[in-house]
């Protein structure tokens, strides 16, 4: 396994959407997620992690050490059982083995971390108890993402559309088209904040420098292979990385995030493109020991 990262990081992602729905809310008829009090748009951390997982799965295609644990149509217990098979354990004898060898839980965890990129990165709850003793534990991952929030309040629009694909034979006899509705955001710029703990990487998952570079690559390209009619034109516009000089860091994360100022250009009332915003990093607010890297 490659050596774990040695520096703490914080990072900020700026991405935008044009005439699309970045993250539908199933509790609101799949309309774009929104903070009802402020009107700001929201994209969940789960949504962003899914796109990162999909990109890694696409570029690595099942390569050893870079498989994805949480994926469509693959039961979690199927992956959990691989650790038991590797260690020659069975459901019947695992409890006895754990009493004899207290390190067996660590070996199970290490197997899962070394084989699955998303466990090594984000962590996972692998305590499903579908089988009484099939338990790979819980892993707290070094990489954590918060919800993304739009820079300005958004206006969700429902656009009426027509389709020529008729559902039933009876409908085909009575009409030529059917009506439908599509929810879009005309334009919005979103900001998401993330955290990477070198301490957890070293002590728990072994998240390495190679994993870190793949994570940056996945974030930058997470919308490039995820285009659809529903999501419209989405793109990561900025990836700002703050690299601390040590494992535990040089200052609180909020000071780093507060140093990034995003505001509309003068005379812009309704932003409709990324250039309608000005992004400025106030270096004087940040300790000199912290390196600022703009990946895009």
């Amino acid at each position: 396994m490659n050596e774990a990262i040695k520096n703490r990081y914080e990072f900020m992602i700026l991405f935008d959407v044009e005439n699309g729905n970045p993250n539908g809310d199933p509790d609101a008829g799949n309309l774009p997620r929104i903070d009802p009090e402020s009107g700001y748009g929201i994209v969940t951390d789960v949504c962003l992690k899914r796109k990162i997982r999909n990109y890694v799965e696409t570029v690595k295609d099942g390569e050893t050490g870079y498989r994805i644990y949480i994926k469509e149509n693959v039961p979690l217990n199927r992956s959990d059982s691989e650790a038991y098979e590797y260690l020659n354990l069975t459901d019947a004898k695992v409890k006895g083995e754990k009493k004899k060898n207290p390190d067996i839980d660590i070996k199970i965890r290490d197997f899962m971390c070394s084989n699955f990129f998303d466990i090594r990165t984000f962590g996972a709850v692998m305590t499903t108890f579908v089988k009484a003793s099939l338990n790979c534990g819980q892993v707290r991952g070094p990489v954590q993402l918060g919800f993304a929030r739009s820079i300005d309040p958004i206006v969700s629009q429902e656009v009426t559309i027509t389709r020529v694909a008729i559902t039933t034979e009876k409908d085909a006899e009575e009409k030529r088209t059917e009506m439908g509705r599509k929810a879009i955001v005309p334009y919005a710029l979103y900001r998401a904040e993330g955290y990477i703990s070198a301490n957890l990487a070293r002590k728990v998952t072994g998240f390495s420098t190679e994993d870190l570079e793949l994570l940056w690559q996945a974030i930058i390209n997470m919308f490039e292979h995820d285009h659809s009619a529903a999501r419209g034109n989405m793109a990561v516009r900025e990836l700002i990385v703050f690299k601390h000089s040590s494992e535990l860091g040089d200052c609180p994360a909020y000071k780093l995030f507060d140093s990034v100022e995003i505001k509309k250009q003068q005379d812009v009332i309704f932003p409709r493109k990324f250039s309608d915003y000005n992004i400025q990093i106030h270096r004087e607010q940040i300790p000199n020991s912290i390196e600022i890297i703009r990946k895009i």
Side-chain angles (χ1 to χ4, degrees):
M1 183 183 294
N2 296 320
E3 190 175 8
I5 58 172
K6 299 181 181 297
N7 303 83
R8 182 182 129 190
Y9 295 84
E10 269 82 46
F11 60 94
M12 180 183 294
I13 311 167
L14 298 179
F15 63 91
D16 60 3
V17 59
E18 181 181 354
N19 295 327
N21 185 350
N23 188 200
D25 185 351
D27 290 327
N30 210 42
L31 293 171
R33 293 182 188 271
I34 193 170
D35 179 347
E37 291 185 338
S38 66
Y40 287 94
I42 293 172
V43 174
T44 66
D45 60 321
V46 174
C47 174
L48 297 177
K49 288 177 182 178
R50 177 74 271 149
K51 290 169 178 26
I52 292 170
R53 286 185 173 100
N54 289 346
Y55 178 82
V56 172
E57 185 176 19
T58 298
V59 298
K60 290 299 184 179
D61 195 23
E63 183 180 325
T64 301
Y66 293 94
R67 294 167 57 200
I68 298 300
Y69 178 67
I70 299 177
K71 57 189 297 186
E72 188 177 2
N73 298 324
V74 178
L76 299 181
N77 280 133
R78 184 186 303 171
S79 300
D80 294 340
S81 64
E82 292 182 24
Y84 279 54
E85 293 171 4
Y86 175 78
L87 296 170
N88 196 27
L89 296 172
T90 64
D91 294 335
K93 69 177 184 178
V94 68
K95 290 185 178 179
E97 288 292 329
K98 288 183 178 182
K99 290 180 181 179
K100 297 177 187 176
N101 184 2
D103 293 335
I104 197 72
D105 286 331
I106 296 176
K107 291 181 179 179
I108 292 173
R109 181 200 71 191
D110 289 347
F111 174 87
M112 300 300 286
C113 288
S114 63
N115 280 273
F116 296 94
F117 174 82
D118 55 338
I119 296 178
R120 198 162 61 246
T121 304
F122 303 124
V125 177
M126 300 173 286
T127 310
T128 54
F129 293 117
V130 173
K131 296 182 179 180
S133 57
L134 187 54
N135 175 10
C136 293
Q138 300 181 26
V139 174
R140 183 181 173 191
V143 180
Q144 298 300 327
L145 275 169
F147 279 25
R149 195 183 77 158
S150 63
I151 303 302
D152 291 301
I154 67 170
V155 176
S156 176
Q157 296 182 359
E158 276 199 291
V159 180
T160 302
I161 59 175
T162 60
R163 65 174 188 169
V164 296
I166 305 302
T167 304
T168 67
E169 291 288 347
K170 181 179 179 182
D171 288 341
E173 295 173 1
E174 298 175 354
K175 55 187 177 181
R176 294 184 178 180
T177 61
E178 290 186 341
M179 307 298 290
R181 301 187 71 82
K182 185 176 182 180
I184 65 167
V185 177
Y187 182 82
L189 179 65
Y190 288 80
R191 164 178 172 158
E193 297 167 355
Y195 314 82
I196 303 178
S197 169
N199 186 259
L200 284 174
R202 175 177 60 84
K203 289 183 176 179
V204 183
T205 73
F207 183 79
S208 68
T209 303
E210 290 77 8
D211 294 328
L212 181 65
E213 289 304 315
L214 179 58
L215 176 66
W216 299 146
Q217 181 185 350
I219 290 173
I220 291 170
N221 294 286
M222 63 181 173
F223 298 119
E224 296 304 312
H225 303 279
D226 190 60
H227 293 296
S228 70
R231 277 181 287 280
N233 186 16
M234 294 188 67
V236 174
R237 296 291 190 162
E238 285 263 12
L239 173 56
I240 303 170
V241 177
F242 300 96
K243 181 180 180 181
H244 295 255
S245 64
S246 64
E247 181 180 286
L248 297 180
D250 305 310
C251 79
Y254 77 86
K255 289 189 175 182
L256 304 178
F257 296 136
D258 286 350
S259 71
V260 181
E261 182 183 13
I262 306 168
K263 60 182 180 180
K264 290 179 286 191
Q265 300 282 11
Q266 192 174 8
D267 299 329
V268 172
I269 300 175
F270 302 110
R272 286 297 182 266
K273 56 185 182 297
F274 180 65
S275 59
D276 286 341
Y277 288 95
N278 180 56
I279 292 94
Q280 183 179 3
I281 303 175
H282 295 279
R283 176 74 222 195
E284 68 278 4
Q285 299 179 13
I286 303 173
N288 292 330
S289 57
I290 292 179
E291 182 182 359
I292 303 173
I293 308 166
R294 297 180 84 157
K295 292 286 186 179
I296 301 180

